[in-house]
Amino acid sequence: MQMKHLIIFALAGIILLIGFNMFNSNRHESRIAAATSSTTISPDTTTSSEDTVNTNTDIASQPLGKQPKAILDNATAQIEQAEQVNQERVEQMSAAQ
């Protein structure tokens, strides 16, 4: 195989890979947009007591002794909400197949 043919073959392969990547990323972005537009996030319905902090409450307004617990409670609530949204997306994707 001549060097000229090898260069042409390599350039054609690169162009095909770039085209495939553009096509695939566009489909991926459209799937993400469709999944996020159809997913609704419900408000957090945590119950407030003396020791727990609602996620809408500012952590700085808590007494100094309860701030670490408020930070952990807030982080836990956010993680649980993210896991719930992720589970809903998985259920939607599995239902779509």
Side-chain angles (χ1 to χ4, degrees):
M1 185 179 272
Q2 292 183 3
M3 191 63 133
K4 183 172 73 172
H5 292 119
L6 186 62
I7 292 172
I8 291 171
F9 181 71
L11 288 175
I14 290 171
I15 290 171
L16 285 173
L17 286 174
I18 290 172
F20 175 75
N21 190 20
M22 289 173 52
F23 175 74
N24 198 21
S25 66
N26 190 18
R27 284 185 53 206
H28 182 68
E29 289 174 3
S30 65
R31 285 183 180 174
I32 289 174
T36 56
S37 67
S38 65
T39 304
T40 58
I41 300 174
S42 62
D44 191 26
T45 56
T46 57
T47 57
S48 296
S49 68
E50 185 177 314
D51 291 335
T52 61
V53 176
N54 196 355
T55 58
N56 297 330
T57 306
D58 189 18
I59 294 174
S61 67
Q62 296 295 318
L64 209 57
K66 292 188 179 181
Q67 282 183 0
K69 182 167 179 5
I71 292 170
L72 287 175
D73 289 344
N74 189 12
T76 303
Q78 289 176 353
I79 290 171
E80 289 173 353
Q81 184 179 13
E83 288 176 348
Q84 180 182 7
V85 168
N86 190 25
Q87 182 64 29
E88 290 172 359
R89 287 182 183 162
V90 167
E91 289 172 359
Q92 286 180 352
M93 293 305 287
S94 64
Q97 292 177 357

